[in-house]
Amino acid sequence: MTEAPESLNFLEQIIAEDLANGLAPDKLRFRFPPEPNGYLHIGHAASICLNFGLGKKFNAPVNLRFDDTNPTKEEQEYVDAIRYDIEWLGFQWDKECYSSDYFQELYDWAIELIKQGKAYVDGQSPDLIAEQKGTPTTPGKASPFRDTSVEENLDLFQRMKEGEFEAGTYVLRAKIDMSSPNMLMRDPLMYRIVRKAHHRTGTEWCIYPMYDWAHGQSDYLEQISHSLCTLEFKPHRELYDWCLDQIYDNNKLRPKQREFARRNLSYTVMSKRKLLELVQSKTVAGWDDPRMPTISGLRRRGYTPASIRKFSELSGISKRDGVTDVSLLEFCIREDLNKTATRVMGVLDPVKLVITNYPEGKEEMLVAENNPEDPNAGTHEVPFSRELYIEREDFKEEAGSKFFRLTLGQEVRLKNAYIIKGESVVKDEKGNITEIHCTCDLDSKSGSGTEASMRKVKGTLHWVSIQHAIKAEIREYDRLFLDEAPDSHEGKDFMEFVNPDSLKIIKEAYLEPFLQEAKLDDKFQFQRLGYFTLDKDATSERLIFNKTVGLRDTWAKQQSQPAQQGNKPSQPSKGQPQGQRSAINEIQKISKKYTNLSGDKLANAKASIMNLAEGVSYEELQPLFNTAAKKVGTRIGVMITLGVLLNKGLVRNSEIDAFIEAGLNDKNELLAEEAKAIK
RNA sequence: UGCCCGAUGGUGUAACUGGCAACACGUCUGAUUUUGGUUCAGAAGAGUCUAGGUUCGAGCCCUAGUCGGGCAACCA
C-alpha cells in the first residue's frame, strides 16, 4: 500500500508545492529557450530533458522558444540545427515561438513604462554608462538623462525606432535603483539600436530588446508557469520579477523563474564560445566532429538519443555546480548498444594466420549470431577460408598463463568457426612476425553440436577471411582534452590542454563482407573491440567507420597497471588510491568507531593501531593533527600512533605538543588518557 | 569592501522535510560465458566543510566562520 517514496528533484518539488497550493494542473507549461547562435551540446540536452521530462511527468505542454533578440549573432542555420537536434533526441514541442514574435508587444510595453516615468532614453557612450554603474561594492551614479521629461523620452524613443540615430548612440533604460546591491537593477538597458537585418523580422526593426526585457515578458505572453534556467541567471531573477511587475495582470498566470546547475562533462568544455574556438581554430573538423560534446557530434560518433536521455536522467538536477565524469556517458551508450548493436567481426591491426590443414581453395559460409542479447535478432553468414587475418595483439609466441589468446602450442577458438592450435611463425629479416601457422580441429565447427565443438578453450578470437574481407577506414577517438576540467585553470587557456592524439585514423582495416551493406544509422559491435557506426563521409566505395566507444576491457586495464604507461590519459586520481589501503588509512578506519568499543574489543583495536603505527611515517600522520574536534575516535587513533612514533625516537615539535595539549584538555576521557600517556 | 548561491564516498545525485546516510557510475573480488563483452553474486570506499547552539535525537533547524562559484556586456 505504501508506495516507494518517489524522490523528486528540487524543481519537481517546487512544482508539486505549487500544485498543492492551488495551481491548476492544466496551467502548467514549460519552455526550452535556446538562443540560435550555436549548436546544442550535451549540457543543453540536460535542460531539454529536464523541461520536456517535466512536461511528460506533469502532462503539460512545452514550448520551443528561440531567444532571438540579438541579430548580430543569430542565424537561421542554427534555428534549423536546434530544431533537428531536439526532435532527434525524441521530444516534441507544443508551440514553436520566437522572442521576435513579441517585438511589437515589447515595444508597446516600453512606451507604457516611459509614460509612467519608469524608463528613459540615455544618450551617453557605453563607457560612460558602464562607469556610472559603479562596482559591486560602490553604488552607481545617476545618468544626466535620468530626469528627462516623459514627452522628450517618448520623442527620443520614437526616433530611435524610426532609425534616426546611429547604432550605439542611444539606449532605453529602466529607471530602477542606481545604488542597488544587485548590479542588474542599476537602471538596466532595455533597448539598443542594432543596424543588422534580423533572420525573421528583416529590417523591420532597428531597435532590439535586451534579454531581461524580453525573456520574462515572453514567458508571460506564452503563459509559462515555470521558467527554468541555469544558475548564472539567479541575479537576473530580481529584474525578471521587476519587469513582470510592470505589466502583470492579476487574471493571468505569473511565470516563476527558478535556477539549476548546468551540466559539465569531464575532459571537455561546454561553452558555445569555446566550442566555436575549437571549430574556428580547426582543432576539430566542425561542430559535428565526433570528438565534440555537441548533440550533432555525439550523433555522428554513434551515440543514440536514448543513451543521452539516460545520461541526463542519471546525472540528475541540483543547484550545485560540478563535473560529471564521462564514464557515466560511456556507461549509458554501452548499455544501450549492447542490447541493440549487430555483432560483426573486423580486424584493425592485422597479422596473417594460415590454417595449414584446411584445404587450399576451400571456402565455407558460417553462421554468426547478430546479437546474443536478443534471440530475435537473427543471424548472418560469414565466409571462412584457409587464410585469415587476426588481430596482431591476439598472438604471442610465448605468454604467461593469464594470456587467454593464441600462443604456440595452445588452443583457442575462432569465433563462430573452429578451434585452432598455434604451430609456428614466419618472420621477416627484422624478426617481425609475418605469418602465423596453425592447425585446426575440423570437428570443432561452431554450432555443429559435436563433442569437439563443445570443448572449453582458453579464449576466443575474432578474425576475417583475407580473400573475402572488405577494406575500410576506421576513426578512433580519445578524449579531446588531457585535463579533467580544461577551462578551470586560472591563468591557463583551455586550449593548452588539447589532446594531440584525440583522433587516430586506421586507413586500412579489414571487415567481414556483411558490412558492405551498412547504412548511416546502423550500429555495430565489432566483437571484442567496441561499438562502431558508419560516418557520414563514407561512400560505398570508401567505407568509414567511427568508433563510438570501446567495450569495457578488464584485460587492457590489467596490462596498463603495472607498466603505468603514460600514453593514455590516466583516470582522475584525486585523494587516496583505491583498492589498497595504507597503514594510516587502516588506522583511521579502526579509530573511527573506537569510542563505541569497550572491553576486549577496545583492547584489540588499540593493539591493532599500535601494530599498524609501526608502518606510519610522521609525514603521513601530521595532517591528521587537524582532524575535527568532533571526530574523537580518529584523534585517539592519531594520539596512539603518535605515541608509537615518539617511542621510536620521533623528535617532539610544536605541532606535536599542540596536538597533545588539545587532547589533554578534551572532554573525552579516552582521548585525555591517551594524551596523558605520552605527555 | 558589497550582494547572491552552494558544500553528503573518487564522480553525479538521494535521504519521504528532525529518526540506522541510500542509489548509480567508477574501483576491486568471485561465478557464468564461443566477445577478457554481457549477466550474476559480493566487497571496499562517507563520521555529511569547521566551531558552537536548539533537541531524547541534527546531513536536515539556528548562529558564526571556512572554502568554492556567480554578479560591474548596447550578450543570452
Side-chain angles (χ1 to χ4, degrees):
Chain A
M1 141 133 210
T2 43
E3 298 163 29
E6 187 191 16
S7 139
L8 301 177
N9 68 46
F10 81 101
L11 291 173
E12 292 167 334
Q13 286 180 26
I14 288 169
I15 294 164
E17 243 165 65
D18 289 340
L19 253 18
N21 290 333
L23 176 67
D26 63 356
K27 294 283 189 200
L28 246 29
R29 181 180 283 271
F30 307 99
R31 109 264 92 117
F32 174 64
E35 183 190 9
N37 70 340
Y39 286 74
L40 260 24
H41 54 62
I42 186 85
H44 293 113
S47 175
I48 292 168
C49 293
L50 169 68
N51 282 293
F52 284 93
L54 249 19
K56 213 161 270 179
K57 180 165 198 145
F58 291 96
N59 194 26
V62 183
N63 289 354
L64 168 60
R65 180 170 71 236
F66 291 99
D67 216 342
D68 56 351
T69 57
N70 184 3
T72 60
K73 288 182 170 177
E74 296 148 9
E75 290 170 30
Q76 186 62 37
E77 176 201 348
Y78 296 125
V79 171
D80 297 337
I82 289 168
R83 255 197 308 231
Y84 184 84
D85 284 346
I86 297 171
E87 282 187 321
W88 179 78
L89 277 172
F91 296 110
Q92 277 179 333
W93 51 88
D94 181 41
K95 297 184 181 134
E96 181 172 326
C97 309
Y98 295 80
S99 298
S100 54
D101 291 342
Y102 315 130
F103 281 172
Q104 187 61 48
E105 282 96 331
L106 261 16
Y107 176 77
D108 294 342
W109 276 325
I111 300 270
E112 273 315 301
L113 245 62
I114 295 172
K115 286 183 181 165
Q116 292 170 31
K118 288 177 177 168
Y120 61 95
V121 172
D122 198 325
Q124 301 180 97
S125 71
D127 288 348
L128 217 44
I129 291 178
E131 198 188 310
Q132 286 163 2
K133 273 214 168 151
T135 71
T137 51
T138 58
K141 286 197 285 278
S143 160
F145 288 79
R146 204 169 198 257
D147 294 316
T148 313
S149 71
V150 168
E151 291 68 32
E152 201 175 333
N153 276 321
L154 248 15
D155 175 63
L156 248 20
F157 189 47
Q158 173 75 15
R159 289 161 62 193
M160 274 172 70
K161 186 201 175 204
E162 265 153 29
E164 273 191 41
F165 308 123
E166 287 309 303
T169 50
Y170 286 94
V171 291
L172 182 70
R173 291 228 256 167
K175 195 192 280 187
I176 308 180
D177 177 4
M178 287 306 288
S179 59
S180 168
N182 183 348
M183 296 292 290
L184 289 161
M185 298 299 276
R186 322 247 258 229
D187 289 11
L189 271 59
M190 294 169 66
Y191 272 93
R192 76 286 212 193
I193 299 169
V194 179
R195 297 289 185 169
K196 175 121 196 287
H198 186 275
H199 70 108
R200 302 197 87 228
T201 60
T203 52
E204 190 184 339
W205 297 86
C206 64
I207 56 171
Y208 291 91
M210 300 288 290
Y211 166 85
D212 289 298
W213 181 242
H215 202 92
Q217 321 301 76
S218 303
D219 286 338
Y220 179 66
L221 286 165
E222 292 172 25
Q223 288 288 280
I224 301 299
S225 60
H226 298 265
S227 179
L228 310 176
C229 58
T230 42
L231 248 30
E232 70 267 26
F233 288 96
K234 176 72 219 282
H236 290 253
R237 186 148 113 197
E238 193 180 355
L239 182 52
Y240 180 98
D241 285 330
W242 184 91
C243 291
L244 244 29
D245 283 338
Q246 311 312 312
I247 56 153
Y248 177 57
D249 169 349
N250 264 316
N251 300 319
K252 288 198 173 153
L253 176 142
R254 183 183 171 114
K256 183 182 263 190
Q257 174 183 309
R258 288 296 180 271
E259 310 81 16
F260 61 92
R262 57 167 7 122
R263 179 66 42 205
N264 296 307
L265 240 203
S266 62
Y267 297 99
T268 191
V269 293
M270 211 63 100
S271 90
K272 284 191 208 169
R273 203 211 88 222
K274 290 173 185 147
L275 294 175
L276 182 65
E277 192 175 333
L278 288 167
V279 172
Q280 287 179 338
S281 64
K282 303 254 197 276
T283 306
V284 297
W287 284 97
D288 68 345
D289 186 295
R291 292 165 292 181
M292 291 282 271
T294 50
I295 304 297
S296 50
L298 291 166
R299 176 167 56 233
R300 188 169 172 188
R301 173 95 170 237
Y303 277 78
T304 58
S307 68
I308 294 173
R309 279 186 258 123
K310 183 69 185 275
F311 172 72
S312 294
E313 181 198 325
L314 292 182
S315 299
I317 294 291
S318 73
K319 293 180 75 166
R320 112 197 219 212
D321 33 28
V323 182
T324 303
D325 202 290
V326 284
S327 66
L328 186 63
L329 219 209
E330 291 177 347
F331 162 78
C332 292
I333 187 61
R334 285 194 187 108
E335 185 191 43
D336 189 15
L337 260 19
N338 175 50
K339 286 184 295 205
T340 55
T342 301
R343 268 54 170 183
V344 295
M345 291 191 286
V347 175
L348 270 35
D349 180 18
V351 62
K352 186 171 174 180
L353 179 76
V354 180
I355 305 167
T356 53
N357 64 333
Y358 194 84
E360 240 164 293
K362 176 174 175 179
E363 49 188 278
E364 61 182 315
M365 298 303 281
L366 303 174
V367 179
E369 223 179 347
N370 285 336
N371 188 340
E373 306 295 314
D374 177 6
N376 299 320
T379 60
H380 69 272
E381 292 190 314
V382 43
F384 184 81
S385 66
R386 179 184 155 95
E387 296 188 341
L388 312 175
Y389 281 136
I390 63 168
E391 218 67 63
R392 196 165 273 280
E393 66 162 23
D394 280 343
F395 175 78
K396 260 190 198 171
E397 282 182 81
E398 288 164 38
S401 60
K402 282 171 77 184
F403 187 77
F404 300 164
R405 304 178 182 187
L406 186 62
T407 62
L408 261 18
Q410 291 285 337
E411 283 195 329
V412 292
R413 186 187 304 276
L414 293 174
K415 179 78 185 173
N416 298 319
Y418 298 91
I419 292 173
I420 58 167
K421 186 200 270 184
E423 302 288 357
S424 62
V425 291
V426 179
K427 294 182 181 175
D428 62 17
E429 61 284 353
K430 285 188 208 140
N432 298 314
I433 296 171
T434 53
E435 279 182 24
I436 302 162
H437 287 193
C438 68
T439 52
C440 95
D441 177 347
L442 292 162
D443 279 336
S444 68
K445 186 157 115 180
S446 291
S448 65
T450 61
E451 207 172 302
S453 73
M454 315 283 261
R455 209 160 64 227
K456 301 260 181 250
V457 290
K458 250 181 137 181
T460 302
L461 307 187
H462 61 274
W463 52 271
V464 292
S465 163
I466 294 178
Q467 75 173 106
H468 301 94
I470 57 172
K471 292 174 187 170
E473 177 177 320
I474 303 289
R475 297 177 181 170
E476 291 187 292
Y477 306 97
D478 199 349
R479 33 190 66 144
L480 231 196
F481 293 91
L482 267 358
D483 189 87
E484 193 181 13
D487 52 3
S488 70
H489 301 270
E490 213 172 325
K492 281 194 175 177
D493 190 74
F494 74 102
M495 294 294 280
E496 289 178 38
F497 300 99
V498 167
N499 177 3
D501 302 316
S502 59
L503 171 62
K504 180 182 168 202
I505 296 177
I506 297 166
K507 279 286 174 198
E508 204 159 87
Y510 297 86
L511 312 179
E512 62 169 284
F514 179 73
L515 255 359
Q516 186 62 55
E517 305 305 320
K519 292 190 295 297
L520 201 51
D521 287 326
D522 290 344
K523 304 284 183 268
F524 299 99
Q525 185 198 91
F526 289 12
Q527 291 193 93
R528 305 209 300 135
L529 296 177
Y531 296 98
F532 293 79
T533 195
L534 205 61
D535 188 80
K536 66 170 191 182
D537 289 347
T539 63
S540 56
E541 287 76 45
R542 201 170 88 95
L543 292 175
I544 303 171
F545 285 91
N546 289 321
K547 182 172 178 178
T548 307
V549 65
L551 260 26
R552 271 186 80 229
D553 192 346
T554 48
W555 170 243
K557 224 178 281 174
Q558 283 176 42
Q559 295 303 291
S560 61
Q561 255 168 19
Q564 209 45 271
Q565 294 285 346
N567 51 3
K568 270 193 182 169
S570 62
Q571 284 292 89
S573 57
K574 275 193 264 173
Q576 294 298 336
Q578 293 172 29
Q580 77 234 13
R581 221 179 357 248
S582 62
I584 190 74
N585 285 103
E586 197 67 42
I587 288 172
Q588 281 178 271
K589 193 188 161 201
I590 297 169
S591 305
K592 232 191 244 181
K593 283 152 194 160
Y594 197 86
T595 51
N596 298 343
L597 305 175
S598 60
D600 284 352
K601 285 186 180 171
L602 183 71
N604 283 340
K606 184 167 177 179
S608 308
I609 292 170
M610 292 181 77
N611 206 6
L612 285 158
E614 299 289 337
V616 174
S617 69
Y618 178 68
E619 286 67 35
E620 289 176 295
L621 188 66
Q622 191 275 331
L624 294 178
F625 290 170
N626 299 320
T627 301
K630 117 179 160 192
K631 299 175 187 171
V632 179
T634 302
R635 291 169 68 210
I636 295 172
V638 173
M639 196 67 76
I640 295 170
T641 307
L642 180 58
V644 172
L645 262 56
L646 287 171
N647 241 336
K648 279 166 59 182
L650 174 67
V651 182
R652 285 173 194 262
N653 61 30
S654 56
E655 287 168 336
I656 293 173
D657 291 339
F659 181 69
I660 295 174
E661 189 61 28
L664 280 170
N665 297 326
D666 200 273
K667 290 188 278 201
N668 186 286
E669 286 173 21
L670 281 169
L671 178 55
E673 222 171 87
E674 294 299 343
K676 210 170 181 178
I678 63 172
K679 188 168 189 289

